[in-house]
Amino acid sequence: VISLGFTLLTVGILCGAVWANEAWGSYWNWDPKETWAFITWTIFAIYLHSRTNTNWKGTNSALIASIGFLIIWICYFGINLLGIGLHSYGSFTLTPK
């Protein structure tokens, strides 16, 4: 399942980069959402590589997968709710009373 998700994440990042180039003239802007998507991709790439090493199978690779799951939550909710960068469409606005 993680391999399928990694493949879809890779396709999504590449399609987003192509779209960003058409929309803004740059493939990558180091926006917080883009940066955290890259961090997520890197963690799951490390996970998939760790599965090929016999010393890292089991608990160690499960720990890496759990870290990746946590980072997905940060990327999906944390960055959207902070309201910074080009992907700030889902942020909360606090109005003082």
Side-chain angles (χ1 to χ4, degrees):
V1 171
I2 291 178
S3 296
L4 175 64
F6 181 77
T7 303
L8 293 174
L9 179 62
T10 302
V11 169
I13 290 172
L14 292 174
C15 288
V18 169
W19 180 86
N21 187 46
E22 291 296 320
W24 297 309
S26 173
Y27 288 103
W28 197 266
N29 292 317
W30 291 104
D31 181 66
K33 187 71 150 187
E34 295 169 355
T35 304
W36 279 95
F38 176 69
I39 292 169
T40 303
W41 186 88
T42 303
I43 291 295
F44 282 114
I46 291 169
Y47 166 78
L48 291 173
H49 285 287
S50 73
R51 297 287 296 168
T52 62
N53 187 343
T54 56
N55 295 332
W56 277 84
K57 285 187 178 179
T59 305
N60 292 330
S61 63
L63 179 65
I64 295 171
S66 299
I67 291 169
F69 183 71
L70 176 69
I71 290 181
I72 285 174
W73 280 89
I74 291 170
C75 186
Y76 188 73
F77 287 111
I79 300 303
N80 282 342
L81 297 179
L82 286 176
I84 53 177
L86 297 170
H87 298 89
S88 61
Y89 43 81
S91 63
F92 287 125
T93 56
L94 300 175
T95 56
K97 291 184 177 184

